[in-house]
Amino acid sequence: MDLCQEKPLPLAITAQDGYPLKGLCWRHLTDTPQTARPVIVINPATSVLCTYYSRFAAYLHRNGFDVICYDYRGIGLSKPASLRGFQAGWLDWGQLDFQAVLQYAASDFPGQPVQVVGHSVGGMLIGLAASNANITRVFSMGAQHAYWRDYPAKQRLRLLLKWHVFMPLVTALLGYFPAKRLGWMEDTPRGVVQDWTARAARFEDTYKSGARVLSSADRRGIIAQFTALRCPTLALSVTDDEFGTVAAVQRLLRCFDSSASTHLRVAPESLGLKEIGHFAFFHSRFEPTLWPIALAWLREGSLPDSVGDSVGEIVKPLKTVR
């Protein structure tokens, strides 16, 4: 007997360093093992609550998947009593938090294929987990690591001042970034701000100077871990996304040089819309239009017929440069 939950179950996972992570899990209740049903892990964007993805997770669940969505350390359900002085960065989110969720998926959903949906930095974090070779398919939305030169030329100065000047200055004063008070996103740990505001074209070079310096061997290890991902990837981006520009998305895809990737670029006008932006893909109003693209990819590794007709343009891959 196979029953579909109406509401998600609370999720509690402990990372390798002992940090408690929390989230939500949508799973089918069944009396027998379901090795053919994929379990999908949703990696949120930087400082975005896992509950933001609940509508999309429920949609995937209704369409036959088990789904896990969680908050990184320092965010939402996984937030400590105080962020002042709390140290957590993108390396922690990928190497510890996402890795712990992959291990949980493997143990609690034995034999089921593991797929990943990564939004923004959530797509980049896939490359940091030691178990990423076990992932069978990836769908990403606007995935990149916020290199400032990839911002649109007309918005570059404004975004540079906002995210790479104002944010680190406030963080230096308070010990964390009070984004929620500003109405921007969730409050953000200091280490994440340091990673976000670094000006390195390659992610691993973020740690060549500043507060956290990695050895050359450690940086080579990061490169190798990105290369360990070998499953097919569909990277979706939209033309009015200030973060997910063609240059930014392609830069990240080149890091996953063992993964056969497809970059689908969608213009809001092709759907009769004025805007989509960096976040709106996960709003339920896109269930009839954009969500079927992700569903077809996660189910079959292919694009729906509608994409070939009027929605989306395939961006040609660029050569790997590291």
Side-chain angles (χ1 to χ4, degrees):
M1 185 177 182
D2 191 354
L3 299 176
C4 185
Q5 292 173 213
E6 291 185 3
K7 295 182 179 180
L9 298 172
L11 180 71
I13 300 172
T14 302
Q16 186 177 8
D17 66 341
Y19 193 88
L21 303 169
K22 294 184 180 180
L24 301 170
C25 181
W26 291 256
R27 69 187 307 164
H28 291 77
L29 307 178
T30 180
D31 297 329
T32 57
Q34 296 293 316
T35 56
R37 174 185 295 124
V39 54
I40 294 176
V41 175
I42 298 179
N43 276 356
T46 296
S47 301
V48 176
L49 298 176
C50 70
T51 51
Y52 179 76
Y53 303 91
S54 292
R55 292 161 293 190
F56 184 65
Y59 167 80
L60 294 176
H61 184 242
R62 290 195 302 271
N63 281 279
F65 296 91
D66 292 322
V67 186
I68 296 169
C69 193
Y70 66 105
D71 282 320
Y72 309 119
R73 64 184 64 201
I75 306 298
L77 298 173
S78 302
K79 187 177 180 179
S82 174
L83 276 183
R84 192 179 298 274
F86 178 76
Q87 186 62 265
W90 282 345
L91 280 181
D92 302 306
W93 286 2
Q95 293 178 340
L96 295 173
D97 299 354
F98 177 49
Q99 171 64 11
V101 175
L102 286 180
Q103 291 176 316
Y104 172 84
S107 63
D108 256 51
F109 299 83
Q112 293 181 226
V114 178
Q115 302 179 350
V116 178
V117 170
H119 180 204
S120 192
V121 78
M124 186 273 289
L125 297 178
I126 295 170
L128 297 175
S131 298
N132 66 9
N134 297 327
I135 299 169
T136 60
R137 199 165 290 151
V138 169
F139 172 82
S140 66
M141 166 60 207
Q144 34 67 48
H145 73 88
Y147 177 51
W148 69 276
R149 289 187 184 276
D150 291 337
Y151 297 150
K154 293 182 178 180
Q155 286 84 41
R156 187 172 299 152
L157 179 59
R158 174 178 60 83
L159 294 173
L160 185 63
L161 291 173
K162 179 178 180 179
W163 298 116
H164 299 265
V165 177
F166 176 75
M167 182 166 64
L169 285 175
V170 173
T171 301
L173 290 172
L174 299 181
Y176 73 102
F177 185 61
K180 193 170 184 178
R181 201 179 311 170
L182 299 171
W184 290 5
M185 52 188 181
E186 290 299 300
D187 292 348
T188 307
R190 178 175 57 189
V192 172
V193 173
Q194 291 170 342
D195 292 347
W196 186 341
T197 58
R199 299 179 184 179
R202 302 186 304 186
F203 172 74
E204 66 273 10
D205 288 342
T206 298
Y207 305 99
K208 291 181 72 172
S209 62
R212 293 195 295 176
V213 178
L214 296 181
S215 68
S216 296
D218 286 337
R219 295 200 302 276
R220 288 195 299 270
I222 290 175
I223 294 172
Q225 196 60 66
F226 273 86
T227 302
L229 184 79
R230 298 183 180 277
C231 67
T233 295
L234 174 62
L236 188 144
S237 64
V238 295
T239 56
D240 64 331
D241 182 354
E242 294 178 325
F243 294 105
T245 61
V246 170
V249 173
Q250 296 287 82
R251 183 182 302 278
L252 179 60
L253 290 178
R254 290 198 298 272
C255 295
F256 294 106
D257 56 7
S258 298
S259 172
S261 60
T262 301
H263 180 185
L264 178 65
R265 188 82 171 158
V266 175
E269 296 79 12
S270 67
L271 298 172
L273 302 170
K274 291 183 178 180
E275 60 182 7
I276 299 174
H278 191 60
F279 296 98
F281 174 91
F282 297 96
H283 289 185
S284 55
R285 66 177 179 272
F286 290 114
E287 180 174 344
T289 51
L290 291 178
W291 289 8
I293 296 174
L295 182 63
W297 180 259
L298 295 168
R299 271 181 172 172
E300 303 161 6
S302 61
L303 296 172
D305 294 338
S306 60
V307 170
D309 296 335
S310 58
V311 177
E313 176 186 358
I314 301 297
V315 180
K316 293 182 180 180
L318 299 179
K319 292 182 179 179
T320 299
V321 178
R322 291 191 69 86

